[in-house]
Amino acid sequence: MADEGTGEATRDFIRDIIQADLDAGRVQTVVTRFPPEPNGYLHIGHAKSICLNFGVAAEFGGRCHLRFDDTNPTKEEQEFIDAIAADVKWLGFDWGVHLYHASDYFEQLYAWAEHLIGKGLAYVDDQSPDEMRAARGTLTEPGRDSAFRGRSVAENLDLFRRMRAGEFPNGARVLRAKIDMASGNMNLRDPALYRILHATHPRTGDAWCIYPTYDFAHGQSDAIEGITHSVCTLEFEDHKPLYDWLIQHLPVPSRPRQYEFARLNLGYTVLSKRVLTTLVRDGHVSGWDDPRMPSIAGLRRRGVPAAAIRDFAGRIGVARAYSVVDYALLEHCIREQLNRSAPRRMAVLRPLKVVIENYPQGQTETLPAVNHPDDPEQGMREITFGREIYVERDDFMEDAPKKFYRLSVGREVRLRYGFFITCTGIVKDEAGEVVELRCTYDPATRGGNAPDGRKVQATIHWVEATTAVPAEIRLYNQLFTRPDPGAAGDIFADINPNSLEVLSGALVEPALAAANTAETVQFERTGYFCPDPDSTSTRLVFNRTVGLRDTWAKVKAG
RNA sequence: UGGGGGAUAGUUUAGCGGUAAAACUCCCGGCUCUGACCCGGGCAUCCUUGGUUCGAAUCCAGGUCCCCCAGCCA
C-alpha cells in the first residue's frame, strides 16, 4: 500500500492534534473508527473519511475500528453491511478483529439510559412528534418545556421499561435528555435519546422495540471501544456539546473527543446518500455499482484502482473550510496510477476500413509489440498485420488542416508497432460518407522505422481485419450536467442524458479477448478500459475508466 | 434578528510575526513509435477596513460574504 503517488507524510490539523496528544501523554495509543450507517453503499466521500481514520491510525501506530452505526432498523439492511465491509477491504484497509456494531451495545446503552433517568437527567415525554416540534421553538425563539418534563424518577423508569416491553406503539413516547429548552443550540433542547420502533433489526432481530438515537449511541459506543479521536464531518459540530454532555454524565469507561473536518464535495457529482439512493431506486442508473456512480462499487466496476482513490484522498487534504474538489484531480490520480501499471493494447473504437493495396492478398504476418513502454517486465506480444486493417475514424480527415498530423490523402503515418502507410485514395458510399481508405505501405519500415531516416508526424493504432475481435465499449460522461447539481432547484433535472455512450461496433486486438481479469488496460491513444462483468464468452464489453489527456481535442476545439 | 463554523491563485491545500509554497486545471514551449507519459516556463491586491509592529496571510478591533442546525435520520 506504499504505492501512492505523493503519499508523503501529509500534515493536517487532525494529525497535529493527535501528535500533540501523544506528545503531551494525554493519549497512549491512537484509536479511531469509521462508523458508517448501513443504509446505502459507500461513496468516494466516505473514502476520504476511511483513508483519514485508517491512515491516521496506521501512521501513529494505533488502530482503527469498523463500526456499523446500526441504530435505525427502518433504514438499514444486511446487504449494505456486507457491501460496506467489502468496499473498505477493497480500498486496502484492515480493521483486524475490531469489527463492531452499535447494536452490540444496546444492552449497555439501555442501562445508561436508566442511569440518566435515575439522576433526573432524562424523562419520558408523551408528546407527539408534531407537538415536540412545535414546542422546540425556532432558531431565534426558545422552546417550551414539555408538560411531562417534571415526571418523577420512578414514573420515568416505569414508563421507559414499559417502552422497552413493547407496551406502546411507534411514536407514542420518547426518552429525552433534560438539558435546556432555551439553548441556542437546538441539539441541547432536550434531544431524543430513545424512540419506539417496532421493526426487525438486521442483527438483533425483534429483541428490541426501542432504539437509541445517533446522539445517544455514537459517543457512548466510542467510549466503550476506547476511541481516542472520534473524527466526523462538520455537520456534527453542533452535536459536540451533547456528545460531551452525555460522556460527562455517564459512567463510561473512557473519554473520547470529537473532531470535525469538511466533507468532500466533487464537481459534477452528488455525494448525498439520499440522492444516490433515489438514482438507484428510480432506475436512473443500473445499480449502486453503475460505473457512473461515485460509489466505491461504481468506481471499482469502472476500473478505478483503489490506490488511485487513496492517492486522491491524500491530495485533497483535510481542513475545516467548505470546498468543492475539481473532478479533474480524481481523473489525474486515476491516470497517474494506471499509466505506470496498465498493459497497453490496441482497440479501435470507431473503425474505418483500410486496404493496403500493395500488400499481398491473403497474406498476414506477425509483429512484436511491447506490453508497456516503460516496464520491460511486462514483456512482449505478437500482433497480426495484413492487407486489410481498421483504424480510428478520427484518425482520418478529408480536408485536413496543417495541424492535423494523421491520415489524409497523400499523407504518411506510422502504424503502431507496424509499418509506415500512405493514404492514396478514399471510397465513399452514396451518402458521401468515407467508408474506406486505400493505402500503400513501405515494407522497409517494418517495425516502425524508415531506413532512410524519414519521419512521420503521427503514429496511429489499428487492428487487423481477420483477427480483430468485436466488442462493445461503454463511454461514460458526467452523470450531471452542471458542476453544482441541484443548485438550480431540482437535482434530477440536472441528470446528464448523455452520461452513457455505447459503441457497439468496436474492434479490439485478439489479446483482449482473454481479458477475463478485472485488470484495467490502456487502449493506446484513447484511454484506460476494463472488462465489464456484463462480458460473456461471446460478447466482450469494456468500460472506459478515463480517457487519456487529449491535446489534439483542445487544438481542434480552437 | 439565536447557536456553531469558515474565508490564501480557476480548484484543493501549506504557511503558526521576517516578506506567499505545492498539487490539479489552464496557457506557452521542448521531447516523443501513444498529440499519452516526461521535461522546461507562465498564472495570488492572502475577503475587507482600520490598528499594533522595524516588519502582518499570520496578532487586535469592526465590517462583508459563505456553510451547518428547528428528524422520534445519521
Side-chain angles (χ1 to χ4, degrees):
Chain A
M1 196 155 40
D3 54 355
E4 261 75 336
T6 56
E8 290 307 303
T10 51
R11 228 57 230 180
D12 53 64
F13 77 97
I14 296 285
R15 279 171 244 252
D16 287 345
I17 287 167
I18 292 174
Q19 187 61 258
D21 285 343
L22 251 18
D23 292 345
R26 281 187 292 272
V27 168
Q28 311 307 320
T29 302
V30 175
V31 185
T32 57
R33 103 268 91 113
F34 173 62
E37 183 194 11
N39 66 343
Y41 279 60
L42 260 25
H43 55 63
I44 192 158
H46 294 111
K48 175 181 183 180
S49 176
I50 292 167
C51 291
L52 211 213
N53 280 295
F54 280 92
V56 137
E59 287 161 35
F60 292 95
R63 64 175 193 269
C64 180
H65 300 178
L66 172 60
R67 181 172 76 232
F68 289 98
D69 227 327
D70 54 350
T71 58
N72 186 349
T74 66
K75 294 190 174 176
E76 297 150 9
E77 296 172 24
Q78 188 61 42
E79 176 200 346
F80 298 135
I81 294 180
D82 298 338
I84 288 168
D87 286 347
V88 174
K89 196 169 288 179
W90 178 77
L91 274 173
F93 298 102
D94 181 12
W95 52 85
V97 300
H98 301 286
L99 172 64
Y100 306 106
H101 302 76
S103 56
D104 296 340
Y105 315 132
F106 279 175
E107 201 58 60
Q108 174 64 268
L109 292 170
Y110 176 83
W112 280 336
E114 288 205 350
H115 177 91
L116 236 34
I117 292 172
K119 286 173 69 176
L121 293 174
Y123 63 100
V124 173
D125 195 339
D126 298 359
Q127 292 184 106
S128 69
D130 281 346
E131 291 169 328
M132 267 182 66
R133 188 179 315 117
R136 185 153 29 232
T138 68
L139 295 179
T140 52
E141 304 160 40
R144 299 186 309 275
D145 284 3
S146 165
F148 305 95
R149 200 173 200 257
R151 286 219 252 236
S152 68
V153 167
E155 188 181 5
N156 280 320
L157 223 39
D158 173 61
L159 253 14
F160 187 51
R161 287 173 181 167
R162 287 165 62 193
M163 278 170 64
R164 176 178 184 172
E167 289 189 29
F168 314 116
N170 289 354
R173 290 179 224 265
V174 66
L175 182 73
R176 292 229 252 172
K178 190 187 289 187
I179 306 181
D180 177 11
M181 287 305 292
S183 173
N185 182 340
M186 301 299 283
N187 295 298
L188 263 22
R189 320 248 262 225
D190 290 10
L193 267 24
Y194 264 92
R195 70 292 211 194
I196 299 171
L197 249 31
H198 290 276
T200 302
H201 187 283
R203 290 185 61 82
T204 60
D206 295 315
W208 296 84
C209 64
I210 58 170
Y211 293 91
T213 56
Y214 162 83
D215 286 309
F216 193 65
H218 201 89
Q220 281 59 258
S221 297
D222 284 343
I224 290 170
E225 294 176 19
I227 301 300
T228 55
H229 301 263
S230 183
V231 181
C232 63
T233 45
L234 251 28
E235 62 268 31
F236 292 101
E237 217 167 350
D238 290 343
H239 292 248
K240 182 150 61 183
L242 175 55
Y243 184 106
D244 292 340
W245 185 90
L246 289 165
I247 291 294
Q248 180 192 137
H249 292 288
L250 258 13
V252 293
S254 75
R255 294 295 175 90
R257 299 278 300 165
Q258 173 182 305
Y259 300 96
E260 315 85 17
F261 69 98
R263 68 188 315 152
L264 169 69
N265 293 292
L266 243 194
Y268 293 93
T269 306
V270 169
L271 297 180
S272 146
K273 251 199 227 176
R274 191 200 111 244
V275 175
L276 295 179
T277 300
T278 306
L279 289 176
V280 172
R281 199 227 305 131
D282 294 353
H284 291 110
V285 294
S286 65
W288 283 98
D289 69 342
D290 186 301
R292 292 167 292 180
M293 289 282 277
S295 55
I296 302 303
L299 292 166
R300 177 170 58 231
R301 181 168 176 182
R302 186 163 172 157
V304 174
I309 296 175
R310 277 184 250 124
D311 182 31
F312 175 72
R315 292 197 198 213
I316 57 179
V318 178
R320 291 175 63 85
Y322 174 87
S323 61
V324 182
V325 175
D326 255 342
Y327 195 84
L329 179 61
L330 210 212
E331 293 187 323
H332 170 80
C333 293
I334 297 169
R335 290 195 189 101
E336 185 176 87
Q337 196 63 229
L338 257 18
N339 176 51
R340 53 180 196 235
S341 62
R344 310 286 123 125
R345 293 291 183 264
M346 290 204 285
V348 177
L349 274 40
R350 299 174 181 84
L352 175 60
K353 187 178 178 183
V354 173
V355 176
I356 314 288
E357 295 184 303
N358 60 338
Y359 193 85
Q361 199 97 37
Q363 181 182 314
T364 60
E365 64 190 285
T366 58
L367 301 159
V370 301
N371 288 326
H372 190 114
D374 306 317
D375 181 13
E377 299 269 299
Q378 291 200 22
M380 313 275 290
R381 70 186 185 286
E382 295 288 319
I383 52 177
T384 305
F385 180 73
R387 188 165 198 269
E388 292 189 3
I389 63 172
Y390 286 91
V391 300
E392 206 69 62
R393 279 212 98 83
D394 286 353
D395 286 339
F396 172 81
M397 264 186 104
E398 197 171 357
D399 299 305
K402 189 93 177 68
K403 289 292 227 175
F404 185 78
Y405 300 154
R406 288 108 93 153
L407 277 176
S408 194
V409 175
R411 293 199 189 175
E412 183 173 52
V413 302
R414 172 169 39 232
L415 294 177
R416 181 81 156 147
Y417 308 122
F419 299 89
F420 284 13
I421 59 170
T422 302
C423 184
T424 56
I426 58 179
V427 178
K428 294 185 178 180
D429 61 12
E430 319 76 63
E433 185 95 7
V434 176
V435 293
E436 184 181 313
L437 303 182
R438 313 296 292 192
C439 294
T440 58
Y441 87 117
D442 178 354
T445 57
R446 189 176 205 277
N449 288 301
D452 62 8
R454 74 180 188 279
K455 302 287 185 194
V456 287
Q457 287 206 99
T459 298
I460 65 174
H461 59 281
W462 55 280
V463 292
E464 192 275 325
T466 65
T467 50
V469 179
E472 172 181 318
I473 291 179
R474 298 173 182 172
L475 305 180
Y476 301 103
N477 299 305
Q478 299 292 175
L479 228 198
F480 292 89
T481 53
R482 33 187 309 150
D484 50 355
D490 180 12
I491 197 166
F492 298 101
D494 294 333
I495 292 176
N496 180 4
N498 305 121
S499 58
L500 168 63
E501 187 181 349
V502 178
L503 303 179
S504 51
L507 293 170
V508 306
E509 66 166 278
L512 285 166
N516 294 321
T517 61
E519 184 181 41
T520 302
V521 302
Q522 184 193 95
F523 287 179
E524 296 217 40
R525 302 209 309 133
T526 55
Y528 296 96
F529 296 78
C530 75
D532 186 87
D534 283 349
S535 290
T536 63
S537 53
T538 54
R539 187 176 73 128
L540 280 177
V541 179
F542 288 93
N543 293 319
R544 181 172 67 189
T545 307
V546 64
L548 252 30
R549 284 189 72 227
D550 190 352
T551 306
W552 167 242
K554 285 175 194 163
V555 173
K556 192 169 58 172

